């Protein structure tokens, strides 16, 4: 299988991303397009970004909404700087080998490994204390199979393309460890086929809610004021950040435990400016909370404004977005099908 350095990432089709998506993932993907991951190779690394519409089925939505959200996500990624000539951007469901490999991997994956995964527990309704929750508990009896088993599909996504590097935030490391475990299990069962992927840890920590800095910024939060959407107007951005949760302590300091609201805003500014939060504290010495919020809002507008305008043009030209996806999907299919044929031969299906 592939020996050239290859980056693989996936993103749910949630429509227009919010600032947490951009700073936590997309900004890093854009930067990776101009980096060289393997100094020993004269070839630039490949990058694959999949809009994971199969994963989206774990939370059913109207079919027309899913199609629209998928196109909006594609347009958003291009507007953020993903270059379809440098990155293979494609819809997961168009490459059938994803589900073929998922089934092969599921057949050698112990249920106990899936039971240990924390994400299905955190998403299960009514499970506030999920540390000891297990699949046999009464609370888990409404658990849908797709939500429980989707880490296997995530592993298939990565392994199908021979990915060597996976850029993730610290909250996704468990999934990469799971993928490496599944990879080892496959090799013990059938022989060596895959290369175990390495983690590329994002430098940006999780972006927190503007209303509750102890929770992650999320599109699923019913309160739109809790997040900055990449389509928000300048006025909306200013309003949301002015109303962001802070505290009454005088002065600007970075302390995520004692001052989570202030620290969250400083982290956003630092990530946008590519500096450390400590450097931001020095820059804002003597600022009031209001002055700090104005500086953060200005930095957000400086980044989001051009993205918003580019996105609007792309949404008006959906034919271009569809064409980009179709062309990239042919590239993804070619690589995936070649690799699947090698895997199928290894497990006796061809």
């Amino acid at each position: 299988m592939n020996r050239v350095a290859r980056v693989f990432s996936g993103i749910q089709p949630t429509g227009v991303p919010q600032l947490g998506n951009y700073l936590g993932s997309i900004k890093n993907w854009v930067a990776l397009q101009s980096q060289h991951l393997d100094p020993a190779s004269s070839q630039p690394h490949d990058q694959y970004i999949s809009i994971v519409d199969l994963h989206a089925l774990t939370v059913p939505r109207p079919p027309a909404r899913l199609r629209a959200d998928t196109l909006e996500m594609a347009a958003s990624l291009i507007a953020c700087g993903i270059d379809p000539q440098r990155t293979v951007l494609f819809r997961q469901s168009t490459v059938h080998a994803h589900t073929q490999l998922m089934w092969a991997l599921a057949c050698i994956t112990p249920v106990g490994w899936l039971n240990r995964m924390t994400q299905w527990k955190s998403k299960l309704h009514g499970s506030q204390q999920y540390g000891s929750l297990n699949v046999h508990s009464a609370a888990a009896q409404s658990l849908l199979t797709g939500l429980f088993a989707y880490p296997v599909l995530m592993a298939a996504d990565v392994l199908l393309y021979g990915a060597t590097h996976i850029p993730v935030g610290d909250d996704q490391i468990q999934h990469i460890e799971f993928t490496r475990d599944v990879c080892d299990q496959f090799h013990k069962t059938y022989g060596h086929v895959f290369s175990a992927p390495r983690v590329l840890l994002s430098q940006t920590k999780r972006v927190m809610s503007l209303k509750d800095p102890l929770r992650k910024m999320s599109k699923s939060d019913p309160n739109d004021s809790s997040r900055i959407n990449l389509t928000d107007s300048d006025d909306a951005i200013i309003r949301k950040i002015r109303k962001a949760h802070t505290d009454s302590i005088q002065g600007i300091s970075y302390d995520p435990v004692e001052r989570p609201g202030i620290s969250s805003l400083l982290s956003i500014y630092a990530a946008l400016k590519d500096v450390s939060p400590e450097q931001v504290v020095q820059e804002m010495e003597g600022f009031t909370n209001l002055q700090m919020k104005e500086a953060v809002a200005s930095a957000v507008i400086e980044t989001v404004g051009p993205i918003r305008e580019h996105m609007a043009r792309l949404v008006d030209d959906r034919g271009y977005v569809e064409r980009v996806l179709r062309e990239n999907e042919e590239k993804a299919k070619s690589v995936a099908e070649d690799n699947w044929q090698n895997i199928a031969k290894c497990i006796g299906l061809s």
Side-chain angles (χ1 to χ4, degrees):
M1 198 172 283
N2 170 66
R3 289 295 176 265
V4 174
R6 177 169 290 162
V7 173
F8 181 92
S9 297
I11 189 168
Q12 287 261 7
T14 54
V16 175
Q18 38 86 7
L19 188 64
N21 302 132
Y22 176 76
L23 293 177
S25 301
I26 301 170
K27 184 172 182 279
N28 189 31
W29 300 340
V30 173
L32 281 168
Q33 293 178 137
S34 59
Q35 295 176 12
H36 202 87
L37 290 179
D38 186 0
S41 173
S42 60
Q43 299 183 62
H45 68 270
D46 299 332
Q47 178 158 272
Y48 285 68
I49 296 178
S50 178
I51 302 174
V52 289
D53 47 357
L54 292 173
H55 287 292
L57 297 178
T58 59
V59 182
R61 72 190 84 172
R65 181 71 262 166
L66 177 57
R67 284 189 285 269
D69 285 346
T70 300
L71 276 180
E72 281 192 346
M73 178 56 74
S76 300
L77 291 172
I78 296 169
C80 287
I82 294 300
D83 179 359
Q85 300 302 315
R86 180 68 185 85
T87 294
V88 180
L89 175 65
F90 68 102
R91 290 166 290 201
Q92 177 192 33
S93 62
T94 64
V95 183
H96 300 158
H98 283 262
T99 48
Q100 291 172 300
L101 180 54
M102 180 204 177
W103 181 247
L105 298 179
C107 290
I108 60 169
T109 301
V111 169
W113 291 6
L114 292 168
N115 193 36
R116 291 196 295 268
M117 303 299 287
T118 59
Q119 203 151 0
W120 69 263
K121 300 176 185 181
S122 66
K123 290 185 176 182
L124 196 63
H125 292 301
S127 56
Q128 300 300 317
Q129 301 296 325
Y130 57 80
S132 60
L133 187 65
N134 67 75
V135 72
H136 304 295
S137 65
Q141 293 313 296
S142 62
L143 173 65
L144 299 178
T145 304
L147 182 57
F148 184 65
Y150 87 95
V152 184
L153 180 55
M154 290 183 72
D157 296 337
V158 170
L159 297 175
L160 180 61
Y161 295 92
T164 58
H165 297 77
I166 314 298
V168 294
D170 54 8
D171 57 339
Q172 289 290 315
I173 290 177
Q174 187 188 37
H175 286 289
I176 305 306
E177 292 173 344
F178 175 89
T179 298
R180 294 175 67 91
D181 288 342
V182 171
C183 179
D184 289 342
Q185 183 83 335
F186 186 96
H187 292 162
K188 291 174 184 176
T189 307
Y190 294 113
H192 192 91
V193 175
F194 307 113
S195 297
R198 295 168 49 191
V199 168
L200 283 177
L201 193 60
S202 172
Q203 296 302 306
T204 301
K205 301 299 182 183
R206 288 184 292 174
V207 177
M208 310 309 285
S209 165
L210 297 177
K211 289 301 184 183
D212 181 357
L214 299 181
R215 295 173 54 206
K216 188 176 178 180
M217 187 179 286
S218 172
K219 281 289 292 279
S220 62
D221 192 321
N223 186 352
D224 187 64
S225 295
S226 69
R227 61 184 170 271
I228 301 295
N229 304 301
L230 296 189
T231 50
D232 280 346
S233 67
D234 292 356
D235 287 344
I237 292 169
I238 292 169
R239 184 178 65 253
K240 288 179 178 182
I241 292 179
R242 278 182 179 169
K243 294 182 177 180
H245 176 88
T246 50
D247 56 52
S248 58
I249 302 172
Q250 288 193 352
I252 304 300
S253 60
Y254 182 73
D255 187 338
V257 175
E258 298 297 328
R259 308 189 71 186
I262 292 286
S263 299
S264 176
L265 292 176
L266 294 177
S267 293
I268 289 173
Y269 185 93
L272 290 168
K273 297 293 187 178
D274 291 317
V275 297
S276 70
E278 291 74 18
Q279 288 173 293
V280 178
V281 171
Q282 292 180 354
E283 179 183 332
M284 296 187 180
E285 184 178 0
F287 277 31
T288 64
N289 281 1
L290 179 58
Q291 289 173 317
M292 180 271 296
K293 287 182 175 182
E294 288 174 346
V296 173
S298 178
V300 172
I301 289 169
E302 186 180 334
T303 294
V304 170
I307 292 172
R308 180 182 63 226
E309 293 171 6
H310 191 185
M311 201 181 306
R313 293 193 295 271
L314 289 170
V315 168
D316 287 340
D317 190 3
R318 291 188 174 239
Y320 167 76
V321 178
E322 282 276 16
R323 185 165 65 254
V324 164
L325 288 173
R326 287 195 299 270
E327 290 173 356
N328 277 263
E329 283 155 6
E330 290 304 312
K331 298 176 186 177
K333 287 176 187 177
S334 176
V335 172
E337 287 301 326
D338 283 349
N339 288 343
W340 169 247
Q341 289 306 315
N342 291 332
I343 297 164
K345 183 177 181 180
C346 182
I347 63 180
L349 294 183
S350 67

